[in-house]
Amino acid sequence: VRIDTGTRVFDTTALIDPCTPTSCIDASLARCFRLPTTNVGGEQICSAVVGSKVDANLRLKLLFKIEPHVRVRTPIRALSETVRAQFRDITLATISVVLGADVYPKVIQPGFLKVQDGLPVAQSTVFGWVLSGD
């Protein structure tokens, strides 16, 4: 994803998680990007415009909850060559911030690839294709 702070644009990675109620960003990343923060109800939030590397016209103004630690490592194990071979022709998204249920309907697109049982599935998004499953 691309995060536009108003003065600079940063390329970073994101996890799309419809089970996370609100989008969030790691505090260290928010500091690094110099995103202005506000306290609301005892929690820190910030805003930024999120764009896509594959769709230059996409601009989503989002609020992020600032979390002390958003460190998601995925996949949790290396992908086998069998899995990589099945998805070689698609651009995969990787992770650094979490885009939650508040954004999910805006980023998911039609397009779902299931190659075979036991392999991850691919879902089309405005950022590229994402893999999920084993």
Side-chain angles (χ1 to χ4, degrees):
V1 299
R2 293 209 154 115
I3 295 186
D4 186 339
T5 67
T7 57
R8 292 183 63 193
V9 176
F10 296 93
D11 287 345
T12 190
T13 56
L15 170 70
I16 301 170
D17 183 4
C19 295
T20 299
T22 57
S23 297
C24 55
I25 188 169
D26 188 278
S28 64
L29 194 61
R31 276 192 306 277
C32 178
F33 291 171
R34 295 189 175 130
L35 297 173
T37 64
T38 304
N39 287 318
V40 176
E43 295 182 328
Q44 276 194 308
I45 63 168
C46 63
S47 66
V49 174
V50 173
S52 169
K53 296 176 190 176
V54 297
D55 179 358
N57 295 318
L58 178 78
R59 295 184 53 80
L60 302 171
K61 180 139 174 96
L62 302 181
L63 287 176
F64 291 98
K65 180 180 174 187
I66 299 174
E67 295 285 358
H69 301 286
V70 178
R71 301 271 196 285
V72 180
R73 184 183 167 117
T74 182
I76 56 174
R77 61 185 180 274
L79 296 175
S80 72
E81 186 52 41
T82 304
V83 171
R84 287 149 78 115
Q86 295 295 327
F87 297 100
R88 216 176 283 289
D89 295 332
I90 60 177
T91 303
L92 299 178
T94 54
I95 299 173
S96 148
V97 300
V98 177
L99 301 176
D102 55 331
V103 180
Y104 188 78
K106 297 173 185 170
V107 301
I108 294 298
Q109 294 184 323
F112 187 83
L113 299 173
K114 180 178 179 187
V115 178
Q116 70 184 53
D117 289 342
L119 291 178
V121 295
Q123 172 71 55
S124 180
T125 76
V126 296
F127 306 111
W129 290 84
V130 295
L131 295 180
S132 61
D134 283 334

